Amino acid sequence: MIMESWRRKREVWVLLAPALAILAVVTFTPLLRTLWLSFTNAEITALDQAVEWVGFENYIWALTDPDFRDALWRTLYFTIMSVGLETVFGVAVAMLLNVEFKGRALVRTLIILPWAVPTIVNAMMWRLIFHPDYGSFNAALTQLGITESYRSWLGDPGIAMNMVILADVWKNYPLIAFVVLAALQTIPRELFDAARVEGAGAWHQFRSIIMPGIIGPLLVIVILRTIEAFRVFDIVYAMTRGGPADSTKTASFFVYQEYFAYLRSGSGASYAVLVAVISALMIAVYFNMIRRQNQGGY
């Protein structure tokens, strides 16, 4: 029996070996090179420049850099607002789609379309919508009498980040909606019937029946979206390039500029490692959530 168990374990590791080897080459090699660069003064240059070991100098510079701290705060603001709004809209839409009505299948199909749009296409579409001269957003607001004149929504440092958040929420709330909808469909209808017979209101049903039924899948998708939102880069790059006046410069965009615009690969790598460490902490929270869910903690 022991020999059979040992043989099966060996077969599993033999089958996994090719995938682990590819994972090591594709993932760990760039990771280790970035970690090594973060301890050097390397620069991207055509000149034959010697690379020197500088120890923790890059990390000390990064941790004391006020611009980097500002970028982290902006990233945190983007993450909280974007994921928070996506959660609220996602749960609300899922509850509406869980109600039977004529044409529900068509509406469910249409709702998923924003999520299917590539991020770059979504960013360019909203950039045109917010255009200060011929954007449809300005046209709608002026026609409704909400504003008197056109304004540059992406050119105002005070509101540009909120416009990027709006574009991100529009694209990603369907993902949360469909995860919650799948969870809602596992809740027995008899529970709602019994609650109505006992006179329970909508809020009581939501708190006592719906939330316990969706909290597990909802937490998982919220954590995954939080990790993704904290690494936001592409939608910022396409809509604002980090401007105006750095008001939308997130941590990932900061790393991109340090590495590829200012060509300081050593310090850029240290910024990237710090962002990766914060993301790793979020992933640890995610695995803890999964473990607690599997143990029936939620």
Side-chain angles (χ1 to χ4, degrees), residues 115-177:
W115 186 66
V117 174
T119 302
I120 294 299
V121 176
N122 176 58
M124 295 307 297
M125 180 185 72
W126 281 97
R127 188 173 175 178
L128 292 174
I129 291 173
F130 292 137
H131 196 279
D133 296 326
Y134 50 80
S136 57
F137 193 67
N138 273 321
L141 293 181
T142 52
Q143 290 296 322
L144 293 172
I146 298 175
T147 59
E148 296 180 353
S149 60
Y150 283 25
R151 62 182 299 184
S152 177
W153 299 98
L154 296 178
D156 186 340
I159 57 174
M161 178 61 88
N162 294 325
M163 297 298 105
V164 177
I165 290 172
L166 176 60
D168 189 69
V169 169
W170 182 84
K171 173 176 169 48
N172 289 303
Y173 86 88
L175 177 62
I176 294 180

Coordinates of all heavy atoms in Angstrom, one line a residue, residues 115-177:
W115 N -17.7 43.7 -20.7 CA -16.5 42.9 -20.2 C -15.8 42.2 -21.3 O -14.6 42.0 -21.2 CB -17.0 41.8 -19.2 CG -15.9 41.1 -18.6 CD1 -15.0 41.6 -17.7 CD2 -15.6 39.7 -18.7 NE1 -14.1 40.6 -17.3 CE2 -14.5 39.4 -17.9 CE3 -16.1 38.7 -19.5 CZ2 -13.9 38.2 -17.9 CZ3 -15.6 37.4 -19.4 CH2 -14.5 37.2 -18.6
A116 N -16.5 41.9 -22.5 CA -15.8 41.3 -23.6 C -15.0 42.3 -24.4 O -14.2 41.8 -25.2 CB -16.9 40.6 -24.5
V117 N -15.2 43.5 -24.2 CA -14.4 44.5 -25.0 C -13.0 44.6 -24.5 O -12.8 44.7 -23.3 CB -15.1 45.9 -24.9 CG1 -14.3 47.0 -25.5 CG2 -16.5 45.9 -25.5
P118 N -12.0 44.6 -25.3 CA -10.6 44.7 -24.9 C -10.4 46.0 -24.1 O -11.0 47.0 -24.5 CB -9.8 44.6 -26.2 CG -10.7 43.9 -27.1 CD -12.1 44.3 -26.8
T119 N -9.5 46.0 -23.2 CA -9.3 47.2 -22.3 C -8.9 48.4 -23.1 O -9.3 49.5 -22.9 CB -8.2 46.8 -21.2 OG1 -8.7 45.7 -20.5 CG2 -8.0 48.0 -20.3
I120 N -8.0 48.2 -24.1 CA -7.5 49.3 -24.9 C -8.7 49.9 -25.7 O -8.8 51.1 -25.8 CB -6.4 48.9 -25.8 CG1 -5.1 48.5 -25.0 CG2 -6.0 50.0 -26.8 CD1 -4.6 49.6 -24.1
V121 N -9.5 49.0 -26.3 CA -10.7 49.5 -27.0 C -11.6 50.3 -26.1 O -12.1 51.4 -26.5 CB -11.4 48.3 -27.7 CG1 -12.6 48.8 -28.4 CG2 -10.5 47.6 -28.7
N122 N -11.8 49.7 -24.9 CA -12.7 50.4 -24.0 C -12.1 51.8 -23.6 O -12.9 52.8 -23.5 CB -12.8 49.5 -22.7 CG -13.6 50.2 -21.6 OD1 -14.8 50.6 -21.8 ND2 -13.0 50.4 -20.5
A123 N -10.8 51.9 -23.4 CA -10.2 53.1 -23.0 C -10.3 54.2 -24.1 O -10.6 55.3 -23.9 CB -8.7 52.9 -22.7
M124 N -10.1 53.7 -25.4 CA -10.2 54.7 -26.5 C -11.6 55.1 -26.7 O -11.9 56.3 -27.1 CB -9.6 54.0 -27.8 CG -8.1 53.7 -27.7 SD -7.1 55.1 -27.2 CE -7.4 56.2 -28.6
M125 N -12.6 54.2 -26.5 CA -14.0 54.6 -26.6 C -14.4 55.7 -25.6 O -15.0 56.7 -26.0 CB -14.8 53.3 -26.4 CG -16.3 53.6 -26.5 SD -17.3 52.1 -26.1 CE -17.0 52.0 -24.3
W126 N -14.0 55.5 -24.4 CA -14.3 56.5 -23.3 C -13.5 57.8 -23.5 O -14.0 58.9 -23.2 CB -14.0 55.9 -21.9 CG -15.2 55.0 -21.5 CD1 -15.2 53.7 -21.6 CD2 -16.4 55.4 -21.0 NE1 -16.4 53.2 -21.1 CE2 -17.2 54.3 -20.7 CE3 -17.0 56.7 -20.6 CZ2 -18.5 54.3 -20.2 CZ3 -18.3 56.7 -20.1 CH2 -19.0 55.5 -19.9
R127 N -12.3 57.7 -24.1 CA -11.6 58.9 -24.4 C -12.3 59.8 -25.4 O -12.3 61.0 -25.3 CB -10.2 58.5 -24.9 CG -9.2 59.7 -25.1 CD -7.8 59.2 -25.4 NE -7.0 60.3 -25.7 CZ -5.7 60.2 -26.0 NH1 -5.1 59.0 -26.1 NH2 -4.9 61.3 -26.3
L128 N -12.9 59.1 -26.4 CA -13.7 59.8 -27.4 C -15.0 60.4 -26.8 O -15.4 61.5 -27.1 CB -14.0 58.9 -28.6 CG -12.9 58.5 -29.4 CD1 -13.3 57.5 -30.5 CD2 -12.2 59.7 -30.1
I129 N -15.6 59.5 -25.9 CA -16.8 60.0 -25.2 C -16.6 61.3 -24.4 O -17.4 62.2 -24.4 CB -17.4 58.9 -24.3 CG1 -17.9 57.7 -25.2 CG2 -18.5 59.4 -23.4 CD1 -18.4 56.5 -24.4
F130 N -15.4 61.3 -23.7 CA -15.1 62.5 -22.9 C -14.4 63.6 -23.6 O -13.9 64.5 -23.0 CB -14.2 62.0 -21.7 CG -14.8 61.1 -20.7 CD1 -14.2 60.0 -20.2 CD2 -16.1 61.4 -20.3 CE1 -14.8 59.2 -19.3 CE2 -16.8 60.6 -19.3 CZ -16.1 59.4 -18.8
H131 N -14.3 63.5 -24.9 CA -13.6 64.5 -25.7 C -14.1 65.9 -25.4 O -15.4 66.1 -25.5 CB -13.6 64.2 -27.2 CG -12.6 64.9 -28.0 ND1 -12.8 66.2 -28.4 CD2 -11.4 64.5 -28.5 CE1 -11.7 66.6 -29.1 NE2 -10.9 65.6 -29.2
P132 N -13.3 66.9 -25.2 CA -13.8 68.2 -24.8 C -14.5 69.0 -25.9 O -15.3 69.9 -25.7 CB -12.5 69.0 -24.4 CG -11.4 68.3 -25.1 CD -11.8 66.8 -25.2
D133 N -14.3 68.6 -27.2 CA -14.9 69.3 -28.3 C -16.1 68.6 -28.9 O -17.2 69.3 -29.2 CB -13.9 69.6 -29.4 CG -12.8 70.5 -28.9 OD1 -13.0 71.4 -28.1 OD2 -11.6 70.3 -29.3
Y134 N -16.0 67.3 -29.1 CA -17.2 66.6 -29.8 C -17.5 65.3 -29.0 O -18.2 64.4 -29.6 CB -16.8 66.3 -31.2 CG -15.5 65.6 -31.4 CD1 -15.3 64.3 -31.2 CD2 -14.4 66.4 -31.8 CE1 -14.1 63.7 -31.4 CE2 -13.1 65.8 -32.0 CZ -13.0 64.4 -31.8 OH -11.8 63.8 -32.0
G135 N -17.2 65.2 -27.8 CA -17.6 64.0 -27.0 C -19.1 64.0 -26.7 O -19.7 65.0 -26.4
S136 N -19.6 62.8 -26.7 CA -21.1 62.6 -26.5 C -21.4 62.9 -25.0 O -22.6 63.2 -24.7 CB -21.5 61.2 -26.9 OG -20.7 60.2 -26.1
F137 N -20.5 62.7 -24.1 CA -20.7 63.0 -22.7 C -21.1 64.4 -22.5 O -22.1 64.8 -21.8 CB -19.5 62.6 -21.8 CG -19.8 62.5 -20.4 CD1 -20.6 61.5 -19.8 CD2 -19.2 63.4 -19.5 CE1 -20.9 61.5 -18.5 CE2 -19.4 63.3 -18.1 CZ -20.2 62.4 -17.6
N138 N -20.3 65.3 -23.1 CA -20.6 66.8 -23.0 C -21.9 67.1 -23.7 O -22.7 67.9 -23.1 CB -19.4 67.6 -23.6 CG -18.3 67.9 -22.7 OD1 -18.5 68.1 -21.5 ND2 -17.1 67.8 -23.2
A139 N -22.1 66.5 -24.8 CA -23.4 66.7 -25.5 C -24.6 66.3 -24.7 O -25.6 67.1 -24.6 CB -23.4 66.0 -26.9
A140 N -24.5 65.2 -24.1 CA -25.7 64.7 -23.3 C -25.9 65.6 -22.1 O -27.1 66.0 -21.8 CB -25.4 63.3 -22.8
L141 N -24.8 66.0 -21.4 CA -25.0 66.9 -20.2 C -25.6 68.3 -20.6 O -26.4 68.8 -19.9 CB -23.7 67.0 -19.5 CG -23.1 65.7 -18.8 CD1 -21.8 66.0 -18.1 CD2 -24.1 65.2 -17.8
T142 N -25.1 68.8 -21.7 CA -25.6 70.1 -22.1 C -27.0 70.1 -22.6 O -27.8 70.9 -22.3 CB -24.7 70.8 -23.2 OG1 -24.5 69.8 -24.2 CG2 -23.4 71.2 -22.6
Q143 N -27.4 69.0 -23.3 CA -28.8 68.8 -23.8 C -29.7 68.6 -22.6 O -30.9 69.1 -22.7 CB -28.8 67.6 -24.7 CG -28.1 67.8 -26.0 CD -28.8 68.9 -26.9 OE1 -30.0 69.0 -26.9 NE2 -28.0 69.7 -27.6
L144 N -29.3 68.0 -21.5 CA -30.1 67.8 -20.4 C -30.1 69.0 -19.4 O -30.9 69.0 -18.4 CB -29.6 66.5 -19.6 CG -29.8 65.2 -20.3 CD1 -29.1 64.1 -19.5 CD2 -31.3 64.9 -20.5
G145 N -29.3 70.0 -19.7 CA -29.2 71.2 -18.9 C -28.4 71.0 -17.6 O -28.5 71.9 -16.7
I146 N -27.7 69.9 -17.5 CA -26.9 69.7 -16.3 C -25.7 70.6 -16.3 O -25.3 71.1 -15.3 CB -26.5 68.2 -16.2 CG1 -27.7 67.4 -16.1 CG2 -25.6 68.0 -15.0 CD1 -27.5 65.9 -16.1
T147 N -25.1 70.8 -17.5 CA -23.9 71.7 -17.6 C -24.3 72.7 -18.7 O -25.0 72.5 -19.6 CB -22.6 71.0 -17.9 OG1 -22.8 70.3 -19.2 CG2 -22.2 70.0 -16.8
E148 N -23.6 73.9 -18.6 CA -23.9 75.0 -19.6 C -23.0 75.0 -20.8 O -23.3 75.5 -21.8 CB -23.8 76.4 -18.9 CG -24.9 76.5 -17.8 CD -24.8 77.9 -17.2 OE1 -23.8 78.6 -17.5 OE2 -25.7 78.2 -16.3
S149 N -21.8 74.4 -20.6 CA -20.8 74.4 -21.7 C -20.0 73.1 -21.6 O -20.0 72.4 -20.6 CB -19.9 75.6 -21.6 OG -19.2 75.6 -20.3
Y150 N -19.3 72.9 -22.7 CA -18.4 71.7 -22.8 C -17.2 71.9 -21.9 O -16.7 73.0 -21.7 CB -17.9 71.4 -24.2 CG -19.0 70.8 -25.1 CD1 -20.3 71.0 -24.9 CD2 -18.6 70.1 -26.2 CE1 -21.3 70.4 -25.7 CE2 -19.5 69.5 -27.1 CZ -20.9 69.7 -26.8 OH -21.8 69.1 -27.6
R151 N -16.7 70.8 -21.3 CA -15.5 70.9 -20.5 C -14.6 69.7 -20.8 O -15.0 68.7 -21.3 CB -15.8 71.0 -19.0 CG -16.5 69.7 -18.5 CD -16.9 69.9 -17.0 NE -15.7 70.0 -16.2 CZ -15.7 70.1 -14.9 NH1 -16.9 70.1 -14.2 NH2 -14.6 70.2 -14.2
S152 N -13.3 69.9 -20.4 CA -12.3 68.8 -20.7 C -12.3 67.9 -19.4 O -11.6 68.2 -18.4 CB -10.9 69.4 -20.9 OG -10.0 68.4 -21.1
W153 N -13.0 66.8 -19.5 CA -13.1 65.9 -18.3 C -11.8 65.2 -18.0 O -11.5 65.0 -16.9 CB -14.2 64.8 -18.6 CG -15.6 65.4 -18.8 CD1 -16.2 65.7 -20.0 CD2 -16.4 65.9 -17.8 NE1 -17.4 66.3 -19.8 CE2 -17.6 66.4 -18.4 CE3 -16.4 65.9 -16.4 CZ2 -18.7 66.9 -17.7 CZ3 -17.5 66.4 -15.7 CH2 -18.6 66.9 -16.4
L154 N -11.0 64.9 -19.1 CA -9.7 64.2 -18.8 C -8.6 65.2 -18.7 O -7.5 64.8 -18.5 CB -9.5 63.2 -20.0 CG -10.4 62.1 -20.1 CD1 -10.1 61.2 -21.3 CD2 -10.4 61.2 -18.8
G155 N -8.9 66.5 -18.9 CA -7.9 67.5 -18.8 C -7.9 68.3 -17.5 O -7.1 69.1 -17.2
D156 N -8.8 67.9 -16.6 CA -8.9 68.6 -15.3 C -8.3 67.6 -14.2 O -8.8 66.5 -14.0 CB -10.4 68.8 -15.0 CG -10.6 69.6 -13.7 OD1 -9.7 69.6 -12.9 OD2 -11.7 70.2 -13.5
P157 N -7.2 68.1 -13.6 CA -6.6 67.2 -12.6 C -7.5 66.8 -11.5 O -7.3 65.7 -10.8 CB -5.4 68.0 -12.1 CG -5.2 69.1 -13.1 CD -6.5 69.3 -13.7
G158 N -8.6 67.6 -11.2 CA -9.5 67.2 -10.1 C -10.4 66.1 -10.4 O -10.9 65.5 -9.4
I159 N -10.7 65.8 -11.6 CA -11.7 64.8 -11.9 C -11.3 63.8 -12.9 O -12.0 62.8 -13.2 CB -13.0 65.5 -12.5 CG1 -12.7 66.3 -13.8 CG2 -13.7 66.4 -11.5 CD1 -13.9 66.8 -14.5
A160 N -10.0 63.9 -13.5 CA -9.6 63.0 -14.5 C -9.6 61.5 -14.0 O -10.0 60.6 -14.7 CB -8.2 63.4 -15.0
M161 N -9.1 61.3 -12.7 CA -9.0 60.0 -12.2 C -10.4 59.4 -12.0 O -10.6 58.2 -12.3 CB -8.3 60.0 -10.8 CG -8.3 58.6 -10.1 SD -7.4 57.4 -11.1 CE -5.7 57.7 -10.4
N162 N -11.4 60.2 -11.7 CA -12.8 59.7 -11.5 C -13.3 59.3 -12.9 O -14.1 58.3 -13.0 CB -13.7 60.7 -10.9 CG -13.3 61.0 -9.5 OD1 -12.9 60.1 -8.7 ND2 -13.4 62.3 -9.0
M163 N -12.9 60.0 -14.0 CA -13.4 59.6 -15.3 C -12.8 58.2 -15.7 O -13.4 57.4 -16.3 CB -13.0 60.7 -16.3 CG -13.7 62.0 -16.1 SD -15.5 61.9 -16.2 CE -15.9 62.0 -14.5
V164 N -11.5 58.0 -15.4 CA -10.9 56.7 -15.6 C -11.6 55.6 -14.8 O -11.8 54.5 -15.4 CB -9.4 56.8 -15.3 CG1 -8.7 55.4 -15.5 CG2 -8.7 57.9 -16.1
I165 N -11.9 55.9 -13.6 CA -12.6 54.9 -12.8 C -14.0 54.6 -13.4 O -14.4 53.4 -13.4 CB -12.8 55.5 -11.3 CG1 -11.4 55.6 -10.6 CG2 -13.8 54.6 -10.5 CD1 -11.5 56.3 -9.3
L166 N -14.7 55.6 -13.9 CA -16.0 55.4 -14.5 C -15.8 54.4 -15.7 O -16.6 53.5 -15.9 CB -16.6 56.7 -15.0 CG -17.9 56.6 -15.8 CD1 -19.0 56.0 -14.9 CD2 -18.3 58.0 -16.3
A167 N -14.8 54.6 -16.5 CA -14.6 53.7 -17.7 C -14.2 52.3 -17.2 O -14.7 51.3 -17.8 CB -13.4 54.3 -18.5
D168 N -13.5 52.2 -16.2 CA -13.1 50.9 -15.6 C -14.3 50.2 -15.0 O -14.4 48.9 -15.2 CB -12.0 51.0 -14.6 CG -11.4 49.7 -14.2 OD1 -10.7 49.1 -15.0 OD2 -11.6 49.3 -13.0
V169 N -15.1 50.9 -14.3 CA -16.3 50.3 -13.7 C -17.2 49.8 -14.8 O -17.8 48.7 -14.7 CB -17.0 51.3 -12.8 CG1 -18.4 50.8 -12.4 CG2 -16.2 51.6 -11.6
W170 N -17.4 50.6 -15.9 CA -18.3 50.2 -17.0 C -17.9 48.9 -17.6 O -18.7 48.0 -17.9 CB -18.4 51.3 -18.0 CG -19.3 50.9 -19.1 CD1 -20.7 51.1 -19.2 CD2 -19.0 50.3 -20.4 NE1 -21.2 50.7 -20.4 CE2 -20.1 50.2 -21.2 CE3 -17.8 49.9 -21.0 CZ2 -20.2 49.7 -22.4 CZ3 -17.8 49.3 -22.2 CH2 -19.0 49.2 -23.0
K171 N -16.6 48.7 -17.7 CA -16.1 47.5 -18.3 C -16.1 46.2 -17.4 O -16.4 45.1 -17.9 CB -14.6 47.7 -18.8 CG -13.9 46.4 -19.3 CD -12.6 46.6 -19.8 CE -11.9 45.3 -20.0 NZ -12.7 44.3 -20.8
N172 N -15.9 46.4 -16.1 CA -15.7 45.2 -15.3 C -16.8 44.8 -14.4 O -16.8 43.7 -13.8 CB -14.4 45.5 -14.4 CG -13.2 45.4 -15.2 OD1 -12.9 44.4 -15.9 ND2 -12.4 46.5 -15.1
Y173 N -17.9 45.7 -14.2 CA -19.0 45.3 -13.3 C -19.7 44.0 -13.8 O -20.2 43.3 -13.0 CB -19.9 46.5 -13.1 CG -21.0 46.6 -14.1 CD1 -22.2 45.9 -14.0 CD2 -20.8 47.4 -15.2 CE1 -23.2 46.0 -14.9 CE2 -21.8 47.5 -16.2 CZ -23.0 46.8 -16.0 OH -24.0 46.9 -17.0
P174 N -19.8 43.8 -15.1 CA -20.5 42.5 -15.6 C -19.8 41.3 -15.0 O -20.5 40.3 -14.8 CB -20.4 42.6 -17.1 CG -20.3 44.1 -17.4 CD -19.4 44.6 -16.3
L175 N -18.5 41.3 -14.8 CA -17.9 40.1 -14.3 C -18.4 39.8 -12.9 O -18.7 38.6 -12.6 CB -16.3 40.3 -14.3 CG -15.5 39.2 -13.7 CD1 -15.7 37.9 -14.5 CD2 -14.0 39.6 -13.6
I176 N -18.5 40.8 -12.1 CA -19.0 40.6 -10.7 C -20.5 40.2 -10.8 O -20.9 39.3 -10.1 CB -18.8 41.8 -9.9 CG1 -17.3 42.0 -9.6 CG2 -19.5 41.7 -8.5 CD1 -16.9 43.2 -8.8
A177 N -21.2 40.8 -11.7 CA -22.6 40.5 -11.8 C -22.9 39.1 -12.2 O -23.8 38.4 -11.6 CB -23.3 41.4 -12.9

